[in-house]
Amino acid sequence: MAGIIFSAVSRTRRIDPPKQVIKVTGIQDLMRGGTPRYEYFRGEQGDTILDLTDQRGIEDLGDRVRVLPGTPWADLLKYNLEVFGLEDTAVGGSVHFEDGGFGFNEFGPIRKRVEVEGVINGQEYRGPFRGGVISAVIIRKDPRPLSYMKLDRSFDFVLNRVKYWFSTGIPPFRDITIWKKGNSTSLLVAFPLSRQELLKDKLEEMSPTRPYSFSMGNYRFRYFGSVKTMDLDSPMFSEAEELILFVRKDITKFVALSNKPLNLSLTLDPFSDTSSQDLFSGCILCGKCVNVCPHASQRGDKDYSPMGFFVSGMQKEYANCHLCGKCDEVCPASLNIVSKLREKATFRKISLDISLSLPSRKSLVITPISRELVENAIKIIGFFYRQGIKLGIITLNVSLDELIRGSELNVPEGVEELYVLTPEERLYLLSSKPKTVTDVYFLFDVLPSGVRSKILSKRVHKTCMYKGTMNGDEKCSFAFLEMLNGEPSTRSEVSSQVTLCPLASKKLGIPSYIDELEEVKVEDADKLVEEISGLLTKNKAILEDLTWYDGLDDSIRAEFIRGLLRNYIFGKDPATTIKMYVKLLQENALEDNEIKSILVEEIKKAISADSLG
């Protein structure tokens, strides 16, 4: 792993990439030594980075919880804990960097109120944090009911009130936080109900409020630091768009947020932003795209995620994904990531080696993605024929690269609905379908409800490209990614019984939804080709004799051919007819262009109606 994403400690600070990144999976990895990284947006420089960002999980121990260090505080808000930090920060990061947070007034930094399991100098330890790498954090629950109150006044008024409280002693609040957003300021306090009488004089004018917590939002610049509480004044943070102050008698920890760089004459933590320009095109380094990116999973390297794409300076190799859109779905900064990736990506230019044009109003379409799935297409056509629906079949004369990039498509006249075999094809065709096409349907979604229910009763690989609402494994099989970018893949984590993607089926060795359909009896293609060749051979003398009418009456020979073929095709289901036609094309068995043209006409007639009724 190159570790490009770990060269960013903020959006305005870049350090040298580490020489090695170790993805931590257990305590044995921590023994190897290195600089821990619990979050993507803040960290420290080191030649070896211990990546703990995926170490997430919570174990309820009754009176305490044991938390893996990469777990965000947002996951812990449902527990009644003594302390917690900013929702976006990791538990391990908060302890490592000695954050302020809920309970700061009473306990000081979070590390003062928790225990850790960790490794220092190759030795495991448990107790108060004393350096090294954290493998778990143990946090006490608070069984006492807390009361939450707030006061909405001007920023100056709130600052003066808090400083007055501390000038006369230490108010027995559990927590004191000041929150300023725009022109609105709130003084928020929490305390055990048993202390209400002690705090009576300080609660005047305050009103009850709900339990509170804070996130860093989607701001482009974030500043972390501390200031002496008695030195607090409003000009310090006049340009901040949002400000969170965790207040204690001696020191106040702050988080200042803005979409413009701030010049703060204060003590800043080393991972804070500076007044420099945003280095990463608006990326806030939250890491959410990393967690959902199939390309990063394919390569086993987080640099291949959209975050790596932005941090690395738009390197083309990091853009070669299949544009599934998962990153756009989770990006809090609304960066339109897919459109930026599409501009830089280099896709393989795979094209179809067969051309089919047997259209109907409802037509199954074969694209470069499904070019090896013609047998599946024939089975689907036969299945729907038994449901009373006839599907035509067409191919798209575009390369894989053109399809992914959304090049304008052309389909035969009269085609109004497109049906596709894979979820990938639906995603791309929806954005580039001609105006004459009303919709694009993924064939699984239009199967009879009973058939779908039977499939969904199994452990289903939903795939990372399927956009329908259903439960299932969304992990990527990498089958389509390998087709698209030709890059090496790690072992897929998919462990399902059936998949919605026929491409994944071939790679994973599990049935696809098409394989789960009842068997469709289709006559042997070799036999069909042999029969039609025999039919034409048997009438060869007549066909040669009818050439006498060439130039006199061309329709005589054509009608004779049409009659032969119509009688042969009559009564055969579309799947059988199409399978025969594909076989004839693959073997170049029709040298006579007139016969070939008439055969296509007769097959089109056979499948042109939308239903049998």
Side-chain angles (χ1 to χ4, degrees):
M1 293 174 65
I4 290 291
I5 63 173
F6 293 114
S7 69
V9 295
S10 77
R11 281 165 296 176
T12 57
R13 293 175 185 264
R14 190 198 297 272
I15 57 178
D16 293 333
K19 295 177 181 177
Q20 181 184 25
V21 175
I22 299 172
K23 182 177 180 179
V24 175
T25 59
I27 198 73
Q28 70 280 357
D29 295 320
L30 303 186
M31 295 297 183
R32 299 164 66 178
T35 303
R37 194 70 176 261
Y38 306 99
E39 304 148 333
Y40 295 108
F41 66 88
R42 59 178 180 173
E44 297 165 326
Q45 187 159 2
D47 286 341
T48 298
I49 293 294
L50 297 174
D51 178 7
L52 292 123
T53 56
D54 294 330
Q55 287 289 297
R56 301 185 178 195
I58 304 166
E59 182 183 1
D60 194 331
L61 303 176
D63 62 335
R64 298 164 298 158
V65 292
R66 180 179 181 272
V67 187
L68 295 184
T71 307
W73 286 104
D75 292 355
L76 286 157
L77 295 180
K78 63 183 179 181
Y79 297 91
N80 189 29
L81 302 180
E82 284 190 339
V83 293
F84 55 83
L86 285 167
E87 294 178 17
D88 317 272
T89 59
V91 174
S94 286
V95 176
H96 180 88
F97 290 114
E98 203 167 8
D99 284 350
F102 183 87
F104 184 66
N105 176 57
E106 187 163 298
F107 301 131
I110 286 169
R111 65 165 63 170
K112 303 293 186 183
R113 202 63 182 181
V114 301
E115 289 186 338
V116 303
E117 296 171 11
V119 173
I120 186 168
N121 298 324
Q123 298 292 319
E124 293 184 58
Y125 76 93
R126 176 170 174 168
F129 178 67
R130 50 190 174 90
V133 185
I134 300 168
S135 60
V137 180
I138 294 88
I139 310 169
R140 284 181 285 269
K141 294 181 181 178
D142 192 343
R144 300 168 299 174
L146 297 182
S147 181
Y148 298 84
M149 305 286 281
K150 76 169 182 173
L151 175 67
D152 295 328
R153 289 293 182 86
S154 71
F155 189 39
D156 282 324
F157 182 93
V158 166
L159 288 179
N160 289 332
R161 171 163 287 198
V162 169
K163 288 195 286 186
Y164 172 74
W165 285 348
F166 285 116
S167 69
T168 58
I170 299 179
F173 287 111
R174 177 75 169 69
D175 181 80
I176 300 173
T177 301
I178 297 171
W179 178 41
K180 180 180 182 296
K181 188 171 185 178
N183 295 321
S184 301
T185 303
S186 296
L187 170 60
L188 298 153
V189 297
F191 54 91
L193 291 175
S194 59
R195 297 184 194 171
Q196 188 154 357
E197 192 63 29
L198 289 173
L199 293 164
K200 189 174 181 181
D201 62 323
K202 295 177 176 58
L203 298 176
E204 292 181 5
E205 301 179 281
M206 300 192 82
S207 58
T209 190
R210 295 179 296 177
Y212 50 85
S213 62
F214 301 96
S215 72
M216 294 182 295
N218 306 330
Y219 295 99
R220 296 183 63 187
F221 295 90
R222 300 172 294 206
Y223 302 84
F224 303 82
S226 58
V227 61
K228 291 181 179 179
T229 299
M230 290 304 170
D231 291 343
L232 281 169
D233 61 36
S234 55
M236 286 180 176
F237 304 102
S238 60
E239 296 181 355
E241 295 177 44
E242 186 169 354
L243 176 68
I244 307 160
L245 300 175
F246 302 105
V247 187
R248 200 166 188 242
K249 180 178 176 61
D250 53 346
I251 198 78
T252 291
K253 293 268 190 174
F254 67 81
V255 180
L257 306 166
S258 175
N259 283 309
K260 297 178 181 179
L262 304 178
N263 290 308
L264 300 175
S265 301
L266 296 166
T267 303
L268 294 177
D269 293 327
F271 48 78
S272 284
D273 287 310
T274 67
S275 57
S276 304
Q277 184 179 0
D278 175 6
L279 294 176
F280 307 127
S281 304
C283 173
I284 64 173
L285 308 183
C286 67
K288 291 182 178 179
C289 63
V290 180
N291 298 330
V292 300
C293 179
H295 194 202
S297 297
Q298 179 197 10
R299 298 303 303 268
D301 188 338
K302 295 177 178 180
D303 286 352
Y304 287 85
S305 67
M307 184 172 161
F309 172 79
F310 286 110
V311 172
S312 67
M314 307 286 191
Q315 289 188 12
K316 286 187 176 182
E317 64 177 320
Y318 295 157
N320 295 338
C321 66
H322 53 16
L323 310 177
C324 66
K326 283 185 171 293
C327 50
D328 274 340
E329 291 172 7
V330 300
C331 179
S334 302
L335 294 180
N336 296 319
I337 299 170
V338 168
S339 63
K340 293 179 174 66
L341 291 170
R342 184 180 283 113
E343 291 173 4
K344 298 290 182 178
T346 303
F347 303 123
R348 298 171 77 190
K349 299 182 183 299
I350 298 171
S351 298
L352 289 168
D353 56 5
I354 189 172
S355 178
L356 298 173
S357 183
L358 302 172
S360 179
R361 191 177 74 84
K362 301 172 185 279
S363 289
L364 190 157
V365 58
I366 299 294
T367 76
I369 295 173
S370 54
R371 70 191 191 283
E372 295 182 357
L373 301 175
V374 176
E375 288 291 326
N376 295 79
I378 290 170
K379 180 175 180 179
I380 280 282
I381 288 171
F383 176 83
F384 275 96
Y385 177 78
R386 283 154 178 74
Q387 306 298 315
I389 299 171
K390 288 185 177 182
L391 294 176
I393 184 169
I394 60 174
T395 52
L396 287 182
N397 187 28
V398 295
S399 71
L400 182 60
D401 178 78
E402 292 171 322
L403 178 64
I404 306 305
R405 293 188 186 283
S407 300
E408 188 175 346
L409 304 176
N410 294 312
V411 300
E413 186 177 349
V415 174
E416 298 178 10
E417 297 176 2
L418 295 180
Y419 293 78
V420 293
L421 296 166
T422 71
E424 292 87 354
E425 290 169 303
R426 181 172 190 271
L427 189 67
Y428 302 129
L429 292 180
L430 273 175
S431 62
S432 57
K433 66 180 179 65
K435 293 180 180 179
T436 54
V437 173
T438 58
D439 211 341
V440 181
Y441 298 96
F442 175 39
L443 281 158
F444 171 79
D445 290 334
V446 294
L447 292 175
S449 58
V451 176
R452 287 203 314 276
S453 297
K454 182 180 177 182
I455 294 171
L456 295 178
S457 67
K458 301 184 178 183
R459 197 166 63 248
V460 177
H461 173 224
K462 181 179 177 181
T463 87
C464 52
M465 301 286 273
Y466 181 67
K467 302 301 181 182
T469 55
M470 57 162 280
N471 294 322
D473 187 354
E474 293 187 29
K475 297 184 183 74
C476 193
S477 70
F478 311 140
F480 177 52
L481 272 170
E482 289 172 0
M483 175 193 296
L484 181 64
N485 58 30
E487 297 174 8
S489 297
T490 59
R491 180 182 174 86
S492 174
E493 296 180 0
V494 175
S495 58
S496 300
Q497 296 171 300
V498 63
T499 177
L500 298 191
C501 179
L503 300 176
S505 170
K506 290 175 178 284
K507 178 175 176 61
L508 299 173
I510 60 175
S512 73
Y513 73 95
I514 301 173
D515 297 322
E516 292 290 295
L517 302 179
E518 63 186 39
E519 283 303 316
V520 175
K521 186 177 180 182
V522 180
E523 294 183 42
D524 181 69
D526 291 328
K527 181 181 177 183
L528 293 172
V529 169
E530 185 179 330
E531 287 178 358
I532 199 167
S533 297
L535 178 68
L536 296 172
T537 300
K538 182 180 178 180
N539 291 276
K540 184 177 181 180
I542 299 175
L543 290 171
E544 289 179 352
D545 183 57
L546 290 176
T547 58
W548 186 86
Y549 291 96
D550 289 352
L552 298 175
D553 189 345
D554 295 334
S555 64
I556 294 177
R557 185 173 186 270
E559 284 303 315
F560 178 75
I561 295 171
R562 188 170 284 109
L564 284 177
L565 297 177
R566 185 182 297 125
N567 290 334
Y568 179 76
I569 293 171
F570 179 78
K572 288 184 171 61
D573 63 76
T576 293
T577 307
I578 291 170
K579 187 171 184 178
M580 174 198 66
Y581 179 62
V582 170
K583 187 72 175 177
L584 287 167
L585 288 181
Q586 291 172 337
E587 296 186 358
N588 294 315
L590 293 176
E591 297 178 359
D592 188 314
N593 287 331
E594 184 176 24
I595 293 175
K596 184 176 179 179
S597 175
I598 293 172
L599 176 62
V600 170
E601 288 178 16
E602 293 305 313
I603 293 175
K604 285 181 179 180
K605 289 178 183 177
I607 64 174
S608 61
D610 292 317
S611 67
L612 301 178

